[in-house]
Amino acid sequence: MLARKSIIPEEYVLARIAAENLRKPRIQDQTRKARFIAKSGACNLAHKNIREQGRFLQDIFTTLVDLKWRHTLVIFTMSFLCSWLLFAMIWWLVAFAHGDMDASTENCTGSTKWTPCVTCVRSFTSAFLFSIEVQVTIGFGGRMMTEECPMAITVLILQNIVGLIINAVMLGCIFMKTAQAHRRAETLIFSRHAVIAIRNGRLCFMFRVGDLRKSMIISASVRIQVVRKTTTPEGEIIPIHQQDIPVDNPIESNNIFLVAPLIICHVIDKRSPLYDISASDLVNQDLELIVVLEGVVETTGITTQARTSYIAEEILWGHRFMPIVTEEEGVYAVDYSKFGNTIKVAAPRCSARELDEKPSILIQTLQKSELSHQNSLRKRNSMRRNNSMRRNNSMRRNNSSLIVPKVQFITPEGNQSVCET
C-alpha cells in the first residue's frame, strides 16, 4: 500500500473514485415485464403441469401437425417401417402354418407338386419383400398370391386398407404443415414502433402495416387489444386483463384493402384506455398493445393471422410516419426502406382528457409548430442565400485570377515599354 501511495497521488485516487460513483445510476432501472406477444407474433406462454396428457392423443391429427418437422419425418418413416414389418411377420406365419417353408424350389418356376399360399416365400426376408410389394403395389412378379389360402386373402385385403389409411393420414399431415396459415403471415409486416400524434384535431395512436406479396389478403381486418395487470375493487389480481380498443375505419364493415401499406389509426377518446395517459406517464405504464391482422389468403383460401405487440418503450410520442407511396410513370411505387421511418412533429405532451378539457393547448401547440416551421423556412432561405453569395464570390475570385497581368520592360536607353502577355 505504501508503494502504491508513493506512485499514485492520493488526490488522483479520490477524484477517480468520485467520478466512478457519479457514473453509476443512483436509481435502479425498472424491471421489464415479460411480453405476452413477441414482435414476431409468437405467444410468450409456457404450459406446465398438464396432467391429462391423453387429451392430445384424442386429436392425433392436430398433434401431428403441431409437431416439429424432424419429429414428423421420424413418425412418417416409422409408421411405414412398422407396418411393413408387422405384415411381414404375418405373411411368414401364414407361410409357416401352411407348410410353404418345406416346399421344393421348383414351386417358383410354376411346378404343380405343391401350391403355396404365396409363391417364393420361404424366409422372413422374402416375406418382408412381399409385404412391401403388397402395400406399395410394386409387383415385381416373382412373389404372388394363390387361391390356396383364404387366410392369406384376408391378410392381403387388411394390409391394403391399413396402407391406404397410413398414406392418407401422413400425406395429409405433411400437406397441412406445408400449407399452414402462419407461413403466409411471414410476409405481413408491422412497423417496429407505434406513434402518437395529432390527426384531424384528435390525439391518435397509429402504426403501419403492409403486405410484401402481390397476392392480396381478402377481407382483412385489424383488431387492437390492451393487455395489462389490473386489480379489481375486491382485491383480485388479474395478471392478463384484455381490453378491446376501437380502430378508426371509415368503412362500416371494418375491413381494410391491403393493396399498399396502410397506417392504422386509433382515436384516443373516452372509450380508449390511453385516455388518461400523458407523454410523461407513458414511460412508467405497464401495458402492452397487441395488434392482430386477420384475413383470407387469395391463392389458397386459408384464413391467416399475423400478430405483433407494442410496449411503452416502443411508442413514440410526437412522431409521424413518413410517406412511402409515390407515383412514378403512372405506377404507384412503395419504398419499403422507409417503412418504419418516422419524423418528429409538434404534439401536446398532455393526455387526451386534458386536451378535451382545455382545447387551447392544441391551438397553442399548432401555433408553436407554425412558428417553428416558419423559422426553419427562414433559416433554409438564409442558408441558401449565403451559399449563393459564397458561390458568386468564389466565381469572381476565379475570374480575377484569370486576368492577364501587365509587365513593364526597361530598355538600355531608359525608355519604359509596357506589354501584355
Side-chain angles (χ1 to χ4, degrees), residues 66-137:
D66 290 340
L67 290 176
K68 296 182 179 179
W69 269 108
R70 56 177 179 268
H71 299 155
T72 303
L73 294 177
V74 169
I75 294 174
F76 180 83
T77 306
M78 292 303 298
S79 61
F80 284 102
L81 286 177
C82 292
S83 64
W84 294 340
L85 290 172
L86 175 62
F87 282 98
M89 180 63 68
I90 295 174
W91 287 118
W92 184 84
L93 291 175
V94 169
F96 180 78
H98 191 258
D100 297 341
M101 299 298 178
D102 300 331
S104 61
T105 58
E106 296 179 358
N107 294 328
C108 292
T109 60
S111 177
T112 58
K113 293 181 180 180
W114 178 263
T115 304
C117 294
V118 181
T119 59
C120 300
V121 175
R122 296 187 183 86
S123 63
F124 182 78
T125 304
S126 59
F128 180 72
L129 293 175
F130 180 71
S131 175
I132 296 175
E133 293 176 12
V134 170
Q135 187 166 336
V136 189
T137 64

Side-chain angles (χ1 to χ4, degrees), residues 7 18 36 76 87 104 118 124 166 190 234 283 293 331 373 407:
I7 295 173
F36 187 61
F76 180 83
F87 282 98
S104 61
V118 181
F124 182 78
I166 293 175
F190 300 88
E234 294 79 14
V283 182
L293 172 63
V331 178
H373 181 65
V407 182

Side-chain angles (χ1 to χ4, degrees), residues 258-275:
L258 196 60
V259 67
L262 299 177
I263 297 177
I264 307 300
C265 177
H266 159 64
V267 179
I268 304 177
D269 52 9
K270 296 180 180 179
R271 300 174 298 171
S272 174
L274 307 176
Y275 189 61

Side-chain angles (χ1 to χ4, degrees), residues 118-393:
V118 181
T119 59
C120 300
V121 175
R122 296 187 183 86
S123 63
F124 182 78
T125 304
S126 59
F128 180 72
L129 293 175
F130 180 71
S131 175
I132 296 175
E133 293 176 12
V134 170
Q135 187 166 336
V136 189
T137 64
I138 297 176
F140 291 112
R143 286 171 288 270
M144 57 183 169
M145 289 285 301
T146 61
E147 301 175 357
E148 185 68 18
C149 303
M151 180 59 69
I153 298 173
T154 305
V155 174
L156 177 65
I157 297 172
L158 182 62
Q159 186 173 3
N160 284 328
I161 294 174
V162 172
L164 290 174
I165 293 174
I166 293 175
N167 287 334
V169 173
M170 297 311 301
L171 293 178
C173 176
I174 291 178
F175 173 76
M176 290 300 297
K177 285 186 70 67
T178 54
Q180 280 184 338
H182 67 84
R183 304 294 180 186
R184 179 63 176 87
E186 295 293 334
T187 53
L188 298 173
I189 57 176
F190 300 88
S191 59
R192 185 168 183 81
H193 294 87
V195 299
I196 294 179
I198 295 294
R199 173 181 277 192
N200 298 327
R202 304 295 299 273
L203 202 62
C204 299
F205 169 83
M206 294 172 286
F207 61 92
R208 178 174 276 167
V209 60
D211 188 6
L212 300 179
R213 290 188 181 272
K214 291 185 177 180
S215 58
M216 295 177 55
I217 299 294
I218 304 173
S219 301
S221 61
V222 177
R223 294 186 293 109
I224 306 176
Q225 287 185 347
V226 174
V227 177
R228 62 170 64 182
K229 183 179 180 181
T230 59
T231 304
T232 61
E234 294 79 14
E236 180 185 1
I237 298 175
I238 303 176
I240 303 175
H241 177 69
Q242 302 180 14
Q243 182 179 358
D244 289 334
I245 60 177
V247 178
D248 185 20
N249 194 350
I251 304 176
E252 295 181 358
S253 61
N254 201 23
N255 294 333
I256 59 175
F257 188 55
L258 196 60
V259 67
L262 299 177
I263 297 177
I264 307 300
C265 177
H266 159 64
V267 179
I268 304 177
D269 52 9
K270 296 180 180 179
R271 300 174 298 171
S272 174
L274 307 176
Y275 189 61
D276 296 325
I277 298 177
S278 62
S280 59
D281 298 335
L282 182 62
V283 182
N284 302 322
Q285 289 293 321
D286 187 11
L287 57 85
E288 180 179 357
L289 282 85
I290 299 175
V291 178
V292 181
L293 172 63
E294 292 181 341
V296 179
V297 183
E298 184 181 17
T299 54
T300 61
I302 301 175
T303 303
T304 185
Q305 185 182 94
R307 299 178 296 267
T308 190
S309 67
Y310 299 99
I311 56 178
E313 290 81 2
E314 297 171 349
I315 301 175
L316 304 178
W317 195 290
H319 284 70
R320 182 185 300 165
F321 287 105
M322 294 181 61
I324 60 175
V325 181
T326 57
E327 187 177 357
E328 300 177 359
E329 299 179 357
V331 178
Y332 289 98
V334 181
D335 186 6
Y336 281 98
S337 63
K338 302 177 182 179
F339 183 81
N341 294 356
T342 61
I343 55 176
K344 195 171 183 180
V345 295
R349 309 292 294 178
C350 62
S351 63
R353 178 185 292 275
E354 296 177 1
L355 194 63
D356 291 342
E357 295 176 354
K358 299 178 181 179
S360 59
I361 298 177
L362 178 60
I363 298 174
Q364 294 175 1
T365 305
L366 295 177
Q367 290 177 353
K368 290 180 181 179
S369 65
E370 184 67 24
L371 291 174
S372 62
H373 181 65
Q374 291 178 0
N375 292 332
S376 62
L377 290 177
R378 291 174 183 173
K379 289 181 180 180
R380 289 180 184 177
N381 294 331
S382 62
M383 290 177 64
R384 289 177 182 175
R385 291 174 184 174
N386 294 332
N387 292 332
S388 62
M389 291 177 64
R390 291 175 183 175
R391 291 176 184 174
N392 294 331
N393 293 332

